[in-house]
Structure formats: C-alpha cells, structure tokens
Amino acid sequence: ETVMTQSPATLSVSPGERVTLSCTTSQSVGKNLAWYQQKPGQGPRLLIYDASTRATDISARFSGSGSGTEFTLTISSLQSEDFAVYYCQQYNNWPPYTFGQGTKLEIK
Amino acid sequence: EVQLVESGGGLVQPGRSLRLSCTCSHFTFGDYAMSWFRQAPGKRLEWVGFMRSQAYGATTEYAASVKGRFTISRDDSKNIAYLHMNSLKTEDTAVYYCARDRTTVNIRLDPFDVWGQGTLVTVSS
C-alpha cells in the first residue's frame, strides 16, 4: 500500500498570504496525484489532478507541482473561502487508492 | 449541476446489515464507474470500493478491510449506486461518501471529480 504523508498538519495563515502544502508518497506514483479541499459537513472537492492540472472551475490561485514521490499544492493569495482541510490522494498504485492525513488551513 | 446524494445511514448494532444509496443527477450515470469512501472520526479518507460501468462489465473491486462483507451494486435505470454492508463492526463507524470518476474511460488512473455530502453510519450496541 502506498502511504501518503502530508505536512504540516495545521497551518495558521492570514488572508492574502501565499501558502505551500506538501505531500510525500512512500513509493512513486508518477504524476497520478490529486488534491482535494474539504469543508465541514461537505464531501471533498477536486482541485488538482495529474499533479498539476486544475479541475473544472477551480481558481488559478491554486497550483500543483511534483512527480514521483514529492508533491506540493500552492495557494497564491488566500481568500476567506480557502480555509479548509486539504488532502492529497494517489491513483497510481491501487488497490487501494490512498489519501494523506490532511492539512488544515486556519485563520491566524 | 452534477449532484450525488447519499442516504440510508444511521445507528446499527454490530453484526447487522445496512444499505446506503447514492442518488445521482444531471449526468449520464450509466457511463461512469462509481466509488464509495469512508471517513472515521479523526481519521483520513479511506477507499471502500468501486463498480465499473456496464460498458466495462460492471465489475467490482474492494478494499481488504471490507472485502467479503460489503457489496456495491447499481441501478442504471434509477441513477442510483448502492453500498450493501453486512456483518457490521464498530470500526465501520464513519461518514460514507460516494464519488464519480473524472472520466468514463476505464483506465483506473483517474481521480474522483464529484462527491456527495456523506451519510453517517454508527455501529454500536
């Protein structure tokens, strides 16, 4: 099973700041990695797939990069609606599909 | 707007069964594989299983933790995917989500682009 590790667990930031979230995989997943945003009481929302492709209707302030075992999600200028939990997920080595433990963005 | 709505969650005793439904709208349901996930309190998201579309044989795959106890089915005439859960254990307590593959191509190298809001299953005596 491919183990996903996200860092940091929690990030306290101010609106307007630029943030970078990290995701490391225990074995190579190529570029078959996605990022999701989840808010309380909602299902995950796909932001980025294939490591760097924005999903439909996702703002250009979200960008992804990486390949192999190291990936990042960058939010260029945090808006109030961006405070949420972010998960990475690999879809290269299945079963099972696996997720990171999440990074929570909170308002400083 | 594409929509997935889960239902059927609730409180159930260990060893009993429960069926969850995922009612879908505003897309051609029969063209897509459908997956189920769960998230236990304080834990990361966990993939439960998926069912391919009829075009790819409507075959299924399951996580080791539920294989032999859980079954996924679908009714393409009603646009509903089901998760049948038998021999429930306390560790099955979680919010359960259904989700759609991003594309209709069965390469299985695809993320999940639309998710429901989830339904809570609590297994307790």
Side-chain angles (χ1 to χ4, degrees), chain B:
Chain B
E1 180 189 356
V2 173
Q3 196 171 27
L4 283 61
V5 178
E6 301 92 341
S7 59
L11 175 63
V12 61
Q13 292 179 327
R16 303 297 291 264
S17 300
L18 199 64
R19 187 186 76 171
L20 305 183
S21 300
C22 172
T23 302
C24 303
S25 57
H26 302 108
F27 68 98
T28 307
F29 175 78
D31 289 348
Y32 288 83
M34 297 298 297
S35 297
W36 286 91
F37 299 84
R38 66 185 181 183
Q39 188 169 33
K43 299 292 184 78
R44 68 184 68 195
L45 286 155
E46 179 187 12
W47 170 73
V48 171
F50 70 78
M51 173 172 265
R52 295 176 176 89
S53 65
Q54 295 288 349
Y56 296 98
T59 51
T60 53
E61 303 281 350
Y62 299 97
S65 57
V66 306
K67 198 169 186 178
R69 299 189 300 123
F70 289 13
T71 302
I72 297 171
S73 65
R74 61 192 298 155
D75 186 335
D76 289 355
S77 69
K78 295 181 179 179
N79 293 349
I80 302 177
Y82 298 101
L83 179 63
H84 308 262
M85 304 184 292
N86 298 322
S87 303
L88 281 161
K89 306 174 181 180
T90 55
E91 53 263 41
D92 295 319
T93 293
V95 175
Y96 284 74
Y97 299 96
C98 60
R100 184 189 81 165
D101 281 11
R102 191 183 67 83
T103 71
T104 60
V105 179
N106 183 42
I107 57 172
R108 304 315 315 164
L109 294 179
D110 228 0
F112 307 96
D113 73 334
V114 185
W115 296 62
Q117 83 292 347
T119 187
L120 175 63
V121 173
T122 303
V123 184
S124 174
S125 54

Side-chain angles (χ1 to χ4, degrees), chain A residues 12-40:
Chain A
S12 297
V13 293
S14 300
E17 285 188 23
R18 175 188 177 95
V19 295
T20 298
L21 285 59
S22 294
C23 176
T24 301
T25 64
S26 62
Q27 55 189 294
S28 177
V29 300
K31 301 199 74 167
N32 294 313
L33 183 121
W35 290 93
Y36 299 86
Q37 177 193 69
Q38 188 175 30
K39 296 181 179 179

